[in-house]
Amino acid sequence: MATSTSARSGGTAARRKPGTVAFASYIGTTIEWYDFFIYGVAATLVFRTQFFPGFSETAGTLAALGTFAVGFIARPVGGIVMGHFGDRVGRKSMLVVSLLMMGVATTLIGLIPTYETIGIWAPILLVVLRLIQGAGVGGEWAGAVLMAVENAPPKRRSLYGCFPQLGLPSGILLSQLAFLLLTSLMSPEAFAAWGWRVAFLSSALLIIVGLVIRLAIEESEDFEKVRDSGTVEKMPIVEVFRRSTRQILIGSLASIAAPAIGYLVSVNMVSYGTTRLGLPTSTMLWILVGVSVGWILMMLGAGLAGDRFGRKATFALGAGIGVLWAFPLFWLVDTASVPLIVLALLVITAANSIMAGPQPALITEMFPIRLRYSGASLTYTIASILGGGLTPLAATALLAEFDSSIAVSVLLGAVSLISLVAILSAGRRVLHAEEPEPACRLPDEASA
């Protein structure tokens, strides 16, 4: 028995190595963001003609991006439900559920008949599956970062916590490569007719890989300590609103700039470069591929900086860059010069990276362990709706209304300023949660 217990403990320790857990979180979030971003790219390149053929070019693009934004509506629902069970049952199980939801919904999007075939049911099915995608990703982020942060060495939580964040630029990179491959292997007509579906159907294979990796790791060590002590909250979602309202508010406002920048670059720039600047689609996709590689490296550096110089100071630097670069970004992009576009996007993604690198550790440390999944999910999903879901729509509408990128620069600068002010206003009591006694405990099975 002693030998068996020792072997089991050794296996658990091996599967809980911070690097292993961080890598598993990274792979899972990469797959989920790939699913999320191929939708965004397809919405700007294909969905207007396939699902909204009766609209003008601008109206059709807005309608397609509207279905993209719909996914953000479901995020709070996914965040609340998975946050509740993530704090009660465990982080790992919710990560498996979120991965399955994203994978199944993405694969089915690749099978939806077009408007020409089934009429109004085509966009309806698209919206329903997008809602499922949104609910899945709503519970994904918090679970992935908690697994990475809670299993990390105390002085390396920012570094290990940034690995799930790397899934954002990695997912963008994979989605751009997928569309580059497809558009280079087939004619524009074939790609528009059926080729785009391959990017969605390939998600089924990626999900299998992600599930194998996630099922192999153990539960978060911090959560197991709470569960073993019998102090799991009965209603964590209620308690997080009661105890941590200020943290949710400040954390959400501080976090809106990073997704705003991420979605502006990954979703709007392809359409902007092709329709307004007259650049080939392949050129814009290759630009994003190159920028995404730099994005990944900068985010790793920001994770290190969060441990070395502090989460708040590092995050504030990124928000400040977002404010200062909002106008130079489009001044350079509007030249239609590829080197200047790359420079413009590298700097603005540096702003995103410097915020996103320390963000997981920053947000999770705002909430006590037994409320972390609920608190982090709510904070992230609210920020994603305000910063990510509305930004592509608002940017497209502003360009159509004013026919000038200045309006988009104002939007980006304002969002970054909100994040900067919010993080600077966060004091120690907001950034470092105390562990209170739970209001409603679950029965302590061990003592029973």
Side-chain angles (χ1 to χ4, degrees), residues 43-266:
T44 59
L45 296 180
V46 178
F47 287 172
R48 179 182 63 82
T49 57
Q50 297 292 306
F51 296 97
F52 305 97
F55 290 77
S56 67
E57 182 174 337
T58 298
T61 300
L62 281 170
L65 287 174
T67 65
F68 179 78
V70 158
F72 291 86
I73 296 174
R75 276 193 174 192
V77 178
I80 289 171
V81 173
M82 292 190 198
H84 173 80
F85 287 104
D87 282 326
R88 292 230 7 218
V89 179
R91 286 61 160 127
K92 177 182 172 179
S93 57
M94 293 302 101
L95 286 178
V96 172
V97 170
S98 68
L99 194 63
L100 283 172
M101 289 176 68
M102 282 291 294
V104 170
T106 303
T107 302
L108 290 177
I109 287 173
L111 298 173
I112 298 177
T114 63
Y115 186 93
E116 185 179 354
T117 304
I118 61 173
I120 192 64
W121 283 106
I124 290 175
L125 289 173
L126 190 64
V127 169
V128 170
L129 292 175
R130 183 60 179 170
L131 287 170
I132 296 174
Q133 272 194 330
V137 88
E140 161 69 21
W141 184 85
V145 302
L146 288 184
M147 289 291 285
V149 171
E150 291 182 347
N151 286 297
K155 294 184 178 181
R156 287 290 181 267
R157 287 192 161 189
S158 180
L159 174 60
Y160 285 97
C162 84
F163 274 84
Q165 297 286 73
L166 297 177
L168 174 71
S170 299
I172 293 174
L173 179 63
L174 282 180
S175 65
Q176 310 304 325
L177 287 174
F179 280 108
L180 272 170
L181 179 64
L182 292 170
T183 54
S184 65
L185 292 178
M186 57 186 66
S187 66
E189 294 76 20
F191 174 77
W194 61 270
W196 63 271
R197 298 179 183 275
V198 176
F200 286 84
L201 296 176
S202 63
S203 177
L205 296 176
L206 295 176
I207 293 302
I208 293 173
V209 174
L211 284 175
V212 169
I213 293 173
R214 285 196 166 172
L215 289 171
I217 61 174
E218 291 295 321
E219 182 56 80
S220 157
E221 187 173 0
D222 281 0
F223 175 77
E224 286 203 338
K225 288 178 181 177
V226 170
R227 184 169 57 191
D228 292 344
S229 68
T231 57
V232 173
E233 291 284 356
K234 185 176 181 180
M235 293 297 293
I237 192 64
V238 174
E239 288 303 310
V240 78
F241 275 114
R242 188 174 73 85
R243 298 176 181 172
S244 305
T245 305
R246 191 176 181 188
Q247 283 81 355
I248 293 172
L249 176 62
I250 292 178
S252 298
L253 291 176
S255 298
I256 63 173
I261 292 170
Y263 290 114
L264 181 68
V265 171
S266 63

